[in-house]
Amino acid sequence: MRKAEDRIEIRLPERRTPPETVVAHLGPTNSGKTHDALAFLAERGRGVYAGPLRMLAQEAHRRLSAQLGPGKVGLVTGEERVDEHAPILCCTVEMAPASGDVLVLDEVQWADDEERGAAWTQLLLAGEYRHLRLLGALDALPLVRHAFPGAELRVHERKLPLEFVGARQLRALTPGTVVVAFSRRAVLALAGEINRLQPDRVAVLYGAMPLASRREEIDRFLHGAAAVCVATDVLGHGVNLPCETLLFAETTKFDGVERRDLLPWELAQIAGRAGRFGLVERGHVGVLVGVPWANADPGLVESALEPHVSLPEGHRGYRIVDEARIGPRLGDLGVDDARELDAALAAWHRVATRQWAHESWLAVESLAPIRGRLAIVMRHLRERGRRLGLEETWQLVNAPIDPEGGELLGVLALAVAGDRAQRPLLQFLLDTSRLRDATLEEAEEAGRVASILRWFALQYPGVGGVTIERAAELERAAAERVVRRLAVEVRDGTIGRCRSCGRSCPPWFPLCERCARTGRR
């Protein structure tokens, strides 16, 4: 390990030429900051929009394309390329070019994300752009001042104030209402209950849905085909879904470790979707009542509508974001063999932590996700007696894959290594006919697989018979199947109903308390 540490070279990202202008557009949701920054980008006619999510990049692409016309705006994410040589590009942050005229860097507070923050930090410290426009919550002001002490600050206020309206009954939901819960099963259970009262007038949104399915449900709600939308906190992460009233059915969530109360900034980020500018005078926020297992805390919601944390320059927010994450680049690790990568990553983390301990605003990114993906790739290669080069291994372990897709990453690594035994499995995964009778969960999984295979096809064209066309067709078919199965699930409304007596029960249990106590099945 000491030898590994000796080979480590720690290099901070650094730009050669300072930007001519840096403007921070900071403020809450629905305050116009994205509109103003994109207007500047459109006026300049050359540059990049970079956001944290594929859906945000697609939305910026649609907005700018509608304004500027065909061929003027491209889209580049890990999964797709559209007019990639256009003068304006809309990208996910990891795919943003290193230089250009204008950079609109969205959700700048993500620089403090322990798994992806380094991509934002790289652009903040080393992006060779003439004009920077930094977008995000006012909470990120300390971070912005660390990176650019002289940046011009433009504080954006909400176009519509938020009003706490207390409790709203399930039976009294009005058109234009969004109900928020914090698990897929809770969302489906609530949608089933509302559908009993307003048949076929409920839209559904949650993170496991393919993007095309989300867009279809969003369009149903925005155009009035659905009166009510039931959603998870995906609303706070890139879904532009303004509504007249937003009601919390829950104020606790499982965060991967424990079930806890939502933090004020989390509640505020979601609540900020309330209010349709030009249609209503204010956004209404409250809690849903009338569902026995849904117990939102009205006091928690009401208190989150007003910022309470003191920020620099006399401003107030919900938390203080004052750190940016740094991660390793392959050239920092000092290795020439993929089998040395894990030890080198561990050594880099220790050296970087020691070296940057005195830097008050730089923190080290978590390497657990990349080391986890590396372990899966190396295990698959080892079991089949295959090897990959250093650069190919590094590219694979940096794939935009959630933990659920780890085993598929191992299959893809073997395909790159020339193992033809993986081809039949990949061809099966690409076969859209397998979705003909797929359950909702199977269709959601196919959507996740399609997204991974789209990324793979762009990096390794044709390997294992995976092409971007077939992966895109799988994604389309999965999205269509999800929409069809969602309609059935919501109409049947069995989730959140006791399978013995049919009464309402928590959606994570098959039986109500009474039937469980009496031993019914």
Side-chain angles (χ1 to χ4, degrees):
M1 195 58 67
R2 283 195 299 271
K3 290 181 180 178
E5 289 189 15
D6 289 341
R7 293 197 296 264
I8 297 299
E9 180 181 0
I10 302 295
R11 294 177 298 158
L12 282 176
E14 186 178 5
R15 62 172 45 84
R16 297 183 301 274
T17 306
E20 294 176 16
T21 65
V22 181
V23 178
H25 295 267
L26 304 183
T29 305
N30 282 345
S31 61
K33 55 185 184 291
T34 304
H35 174 273
D36 288 359
L38 290 183
F40 178 76
L41 176 57
E43 180 184 344
R44 295 285 303 184
R46 303 191 68 83
V48 173
Y49 165 87
L53 303 171
R54 181 183 173 195
M55 195 166 190
L56 278 175
Q58 291 176 338
E59 182 177 329
H61 177 253
R62 285 193 296 272
R63 289 171 61 175
L64 289 169
S65 295
Q67 178 181 351
L68 299 176
K72 299 292 182 64
V73 187
L75 176 67
V76 177
T77 72
E79 298 84 4
E80 60 211 319
R81 304 284 189 276
V82 178
D83 293 331
E84 59 185 302
H85 301 297
I88 292 178
L89 292 179
C90 298
C91 309
T92 43
V93 169
E94 286 85 353
M95 302 303 295
S99 61
D101 186 60
V102 176
L103 172 65
V104 175
L105 183 59
D106 204 356
E107 303 289 0
V108 67
Q109 67 271 11
W110 276 55
D112 192 28
D113 185 83
E114 67 173 9
E115 294 182 10
R116 293 181 61 198
W120 276 258
T121 307
Q122 178 70 27
L123 289 173
L124 285 171
L125 297 184
E128 296 285 350
Y129 289 85
R130 293 178 63 190
H131 304 281
L132 298 183
R133 295 296 182 267
L134 311 178
L135 279 59
L138 196 53
D139 304 344
L141 179 56
L143 169 65
V144 170
R145 288 298 184 219
H146 284 311
F148 300 100
E152 177 187 345
L153 174 63
R154 297 183 189 173
V155 176
H156 294 251
E157 304 290 343
R158 274 187 58 88
K159 294 182 177 180
L160 294 174
L162 292 178
E163 177 185 1
F164 183 69
V165 296
R168 292 282 177 91
Q169 287 283 341
L170 183 70
R171 292 183 173 275
L173 298 183
T174 55
T177 296
V178 169
V179 178
V180 180
F182 294 96
S183 72
R184 174 184 176 278
R185 291 188 67 82
V187 163
L188 292 176
L190 286 167
E193 295 293 337
I194 297 169
N195 190 71
R196 287 181 170 86
L197 303 170
Q198 303 189 44
D200 300 321
R201 296 275 285 158
V202 185
V204 174
L205 284 175
Y206 53 87
M209 294 170 64
L211 293 191
S213 306
R214 294 191 210 176
R215 281 196 295 271
E216 186 160 338
E217 293 294 286
I218 289 170
D219 287 343
R220 287 184 61 225
F221 179 72
L222 292 180
H223 297 145
V228 177
C229 179
V230 188
T232 63
D233 51 347
V234 69
L235 282 181
H237 300 284
V239 174
N240 185 17
L241 189 71
C243 58
E244 294 182 24
T245 302
L246 187 140
L247 302 176
F248 288 91
E250 301 178 293
T251 48
T252 63
K253 66 180 288 188
F254 181 71
D255 63 5
V257 178
E258 61 181 353
R259 191 162 188 89
R260 60 168 177 82
D261 287 339
L262 270 83
L263 300 172
W265 70 267
E266 293 172 316
L267 288 163
Q269 189 174 46
I270 298 166
R273 295 296 172 194
R276 283 177 165 173
F277 185 65
L279 297 177
V280 295
E281 293 182 356
R282 58 187 60 239
H284 301 126
V285 180
V287 297
L288 179 72
V289 295
V291 181
W293 53 267
N295 297 304
D297 182 343
L300 204 63
V301 173
E302 185 175 14
S303 65
L305 299 186
E306 291 295 331
H308 57 279
V309 174
S310 295
L311 297 172
E313 302 170 37
H315 298 290
R316 297 182 72 82
Y318 291 93
R319 56 176 176 153
I320 295 175
V321 180
D322 59 357
E323 287 187 335
R325 303 281 175 161
I326 296 292
R329 290 163 289 186
L330 182 57
D332 300 337
L333 300 178
V335 297
D336 53 18
D337 190 318
R339 292 171 295 184
E340 300 174 335
L341 268 176
D342 188 64
L345 285 167
W348 182 92
H349 193 274
R350 281 193 300 275
V351 173
T353 301
R354 288 198 303 265
Q355 183 160 328
W356 290 328
H358 66 283
E359 293 280 359
S360 61
W361 72 286
L362 293 177
V364 178
E365 194 174 55
S366 170
L367 299 187
I370 189 173
R371 293 182 69 188
R373 293 191 292 270
L374 176 61
I376 291 171
V377 166
M378 299 309 289
R379 172 170 57 81
H380 277 74
L381 293 171
R382 187 168 57 250
E383 289 172 352
R384 299 285 297 177
R386 298 281 179 169
R387 292 182 63 179
L388 274 179
L390 178 63
E391 291 189 3
E392 287 179 328
T393 303
W394 183 254
Q395 185 173 45
L396 282 166
V397 300
N398 279 283
I401 292 177
D402 293 330
E404 294 85 356
E407 291 303 308
L408 176 56
L409 184 62
V411 172
L412 298 177
L414 285 171
V416 175
D419 188 346
R420 296 189 177 184
Q422 310 309 312
R423 189 182 181 95
L425 173 57
L426 291 172
Q427 295 308 297
F428 167 76
L429 292 175
L430 287 164
D431 185 2
T432 58
S433 67
R434 67 187 178 90
L435 298 178
R436 191 173 300 118
D437 299 314
T439 66
L440 177 59
E441 292 84 353
E442 289 168 343
E444 291 166 357
E445 174 61 21
R448 285 190 290 270
V449 168
S451 180
I452 296 169
L453 293 181
R454 287 187 65 144
W455 172 87
F456 182 73
L458 286 172
Q459 312 305 317
Y460 302 97
V463 172
V466 179
T467 65
I468 189 64
E469 292 79 14
R470 293 192 65 190
E473 176 62 18
L474 176 63
E475 189 173 51
R476 183 199 60 76
E480 290 181 355
R481 182 63 181 173
V482 164
V483 169
R484 288 198 297 271
R485 287 305 308 169
L486 266 179
V488 173
E489 294 276 359
V490 171
R491 198 176 303 123
D492 289 350
T494 55
I495 297 176
R497 288 277 168 168
C498 176
R499 71 183 183 192
S500 178
C501 71
R503 291 188 180 91
S504 177
C505 72
W508 38 89
F509 295 128
L511 299 173
C512 68
E513 187 176 353
R514 178 180 175 184
C515 289
R517 195 167 52 243
T518 58
R520 292 186 184 178
R521 293 289 182 270

